[in-house]
Amino acid sequence: MLAGLSRRLLDAALANGADQAEVSCSEDSGLNVSVRMGEVETVESTRDRSIAVTVYFDGRKGSASTADLREESLATTVDQACAIARHTERDPAAGLADAELMATDLREFDSWHPWDIQADEAIDLALACEQAGRDADPRLENSDGASASSGSTVSVYANSHGFVGRERGTHHSLGCALIAGRGEQMQRDGWYDIALAAEDLEPASAIGRKAAERAISRLAPRQVPTGAYPVLFSAEVARGLIGHLLGAVSGGALYRRASFLLDSVGTQVFPEWFALHEQPFLQRGLRSSSFDAEGVATRESALVEGGVLQRYVLGSYSARRLGLQTTANAGGVHNLQVASNAGDLPAMLAGMGTGLLVTQLMGQGVNTITGDYSRGAGGFWIQDGQIQYPVDGITIAGNLKDMFAAIEAVGSDVDHRSHIRTGSILVGRMTVAGEG
């Protein structure tokens, strides 16, 4: 149905005088429940639809959207998009991606696994998750709750090149957050899992116990003396470092000249052993696709190889602004894999010897123009390769360019809950502001 609707809207846009047009349609449905302290807090069932039309009149762009499938509403949406385009300034970089770049090998990647779960079953699952956590230790007297969710999305992207791409996917999650201690000594932490198929989720009891373990481990935190130390980012926060790289090499930051990695393609940014690959064709990958948000065929490629930045992350608009070609990344990247050169977390701790293990980051102290990095942090002090005590109320600082060059190891403890797949990352030396 969505494909036929898209074609009708494209025909209407071209009949209205547009020289190019594109349509994105999606239908989403989902169930979300949350509980706290053994009581149900929310039960939400959703069903949404979105239809967006974009037209181009010789480089002048207009967009309009609707959720109404009535013919008069659809016609109005096309008319509004065309009217907006006629009143905008011409932009030579605007327009569809080049026709010859459109994907032709359209595949599925085992991403469709509907979960026939009813609200009462989801509630029981969330309650069991929270209870398993609360039962794990008597010091867990409070809870921030547990939640379970399941959703599905069906979407179509079509454009006036004749491209029509269909995608469908499911997403399921289960999580719990617990509070240990009392008064000013309280500490909060949690755990969650996400998957495309419900059978791939960790058991509810295991998630609850992991949340309990993490909350208890944070009790009685200390600070550390201010100084320069090795810093090991645990896998769940390490992907944030890769996210900062992506922000710096993405087209919008580059053509605005708002990146600390301007003109860096072909230069050594990381150590020689470091590699980062985009893998859009992974089965059950969280961000697998044959095409990007403009219909351009995706491809496996290196973003970093031998520590050298191989390319930027571009859609067609930013590529034209930069005088380059799209990298099939309109809408984002697809399943980035950071190559590991070390063992699991205990092995990395042993190799680090003494330093800081960061498991939480706070604040937004990252300047993408200069690369300056300063974040509030929490985690654990490591001595002789062993966790000694939790730490809190500290700040870690450096410059991303220096931090990338100072990466000494990437662990094999990959966190699968993101399309950025990385293990723990050890930075050889950073400034840690703590006591004195």
Side-chain angles (χ1 to χ4, degrees):
M1 183 190 81
L2 294 180
L5 174 63
S6 299
R7 291 189 184 98
R8 296 205 321 270
L9 291 169
L10 289 172
D11 290 342
L14 297 177
N16 264 357
D19 51 77
Q20 292 184 332
E22 56 188 338
V23 175
S24 297
C25 301
S26 66
E27 290 184 343
D28 303 276
S29 62
L31 172 68
N32 301 277
V33 304
S34 65
V35 303
R36 182 179 175 276
M37 298 299 288
E39 300 290 337
V40 178
E41 287 208 317
T42 62
V43 178
E44 181 183 19
S45 179
T46 59
R47 187 172 294 274
D48 299 310
R49 179 188 297 117
S50 174
I51 302 161
V53 179
T54 299
V55 298
Y56 301 93
F57 287 72
D58 189 30
R60 292 174 289 140
K61 176 182 176 181
S63 298
S65 62
T66 184
D68 190 346
L69 288 181
R70 290 179 301 168
E71 288 300 324
E72 58 268 30
S73 177
L74 296 173
T76 299
T77 301
V78 173
D79 289 343
Q80 288 176 337
C82 293
I84 291 169
R86 291 188 179 102
H87 289 87
T88 58
E89 292 292 326
R90 184 177 182 276
D91 185 342
L96 301 180
D98 295 344
E100 63 270 18
L101 300 177
M102 296 295 105
T104 55
D105 181 15
L106 303 181
R107 293 175 275 165
E108 291 198 356
F109 301 97
D110 196 23
S111 60
W112 183 251
H113 297 276
W115 190 7
D116 185 21
I117 186 171
Q118 303 302 309
D120 55 350
E121 297 173 292
I123 290 169
D124 289 344
L125 200 61
L127 288 171
C129 182
E130 183 188 50
Q131 195 62 51
R134 293 175 62 199
D135 289 344
D137 194 291
R139 290 170 290 178
L140 293 162
E141 298 183 21
N142 207 342
S143 168
D144 250 359
S147 62
S149 71
S150 175
S152 64
T153 301
V154 177
S155 64
V156 168
Y157 170 79
N159 63 38
S160 54
H161 290 324
F163 176 83
V164 179
R166 304 168 179 84
E167 291 188 305
R168 60 178 187 167
T170 52
H171 46 90
H172 316 296
S173 67
L174 183 60
C176 180
L178 298 170
I179 300 172
R182 294 182 177 182
E184 295 183 357
Q185 303 303 313
M186 289 192 300
Q187 292 290 328
R188 176 191 181 280
D189 212 326
W191 193 248
Y192 70 95
D193 196 17
I194 61 173
L196 302 184
E199 62 264 27
D200 291 339
L201 288 172
E202 292 182 43
S205 57
I207 292 173
R209 288 193 295 269
K210 185 76 171 283
E213 175 187 317
R214 289 170 64 92
I216 291 297
S217 71
R218 297 189 59 78
L219 285 172
R222 310 182 206 173
Q223 288 196 333
V224 295
T226 295
Y229 307 105
V231 174
L232 178 61
F233 293 82
S234 65
E236 62 265 27
V237 295
R239 61 174 175 258
L241 294 179
I242 307 304
H244 297 316
L245 168 69
L246 293 176
V249 300
S250 292
L254 295 167
Y255 72 70
R256 294 184 182 94
R257 305 197 66 78
S259 168
F260 68 95
L261 289 177
L262 287 173
D263 304 317
S264 291
V265 166
T267 66
Q268 193 84 33
V269 177
F270 294 90
E272 290 185 356
W273 54 266
F274 190 93
L276 178 58
H277 291 90
E278 186 172 14
Q279 301 175 324
F281 308 136
L282 290 180
Q283 293 296 304
R284 292 202 188 183
L286 293 182
R287 197 71 69 79
S288 296
S289 182
S290 297
F291 57 92
D292 73 355
E294 298 178 313
V296 175
T298 55
R299 56 188 180 274
E300 293 188 356
S301 64
L303 185 60
V304 177
E305 192 71 76
V308 175
L309 182 65
Q310 301 294 309
R311 61 176 175 86
Y312 296 129
V313 176
L314 309 173
S316 62
Y317 180 82
S318 57
R320 289 174 187 140
R321 290 287 301 264
L322 293 165
L324 301 170
Q325 188 175 78
T326 176
T327 58
N329 291 123
V333 294
H334 305 88
N335 303 325
L336 285 181
Q337 180 71 52
V338 183
S340 64
N341 70 334
D344 59 11
L345 183 60
M348 293 193 73
L349 294 176
M352 179 172 67
T354 298
L356 180 67
L357 168 63
V358 173
T359 59
Q360 289 187 339
L361 290 167
M362 289 78 76
Q364 304 296 322
V366 181
N367 187 323
T368 57
I369 299 175
T370 63
D372 290 338
Y373 182 99
S374 179
R375 305 281 304 274
F380 300 89
W381 182 248
I382 309 302
Q383 197 161 339
D384 298 325
Q386 300 291 323
I387 292 177
Q388 300 299 310
Y389 52 82
V391 296
D392 206 353
I394 59 175
T395 299
I396 56 174
N399 183 276
L400 284 167
K401 212 166 195 177
D402 297 333
M403 291 163 61
F404 291 160
I407 291 176
E408 295 183 354
V410 176
S412 61
D413 55 330
V414 175
D415 185 354
H416 70 273
R417 300 170 302 172
S418 169
H419 67 287
I420 299 175
R421 300 166 58 87
T422 181
S424 301
I425 294 179
L426 175 62
V427 178
R429 189 157 295 266
M430 290 184 68
T431 298
V432 178
E435 293 178 326

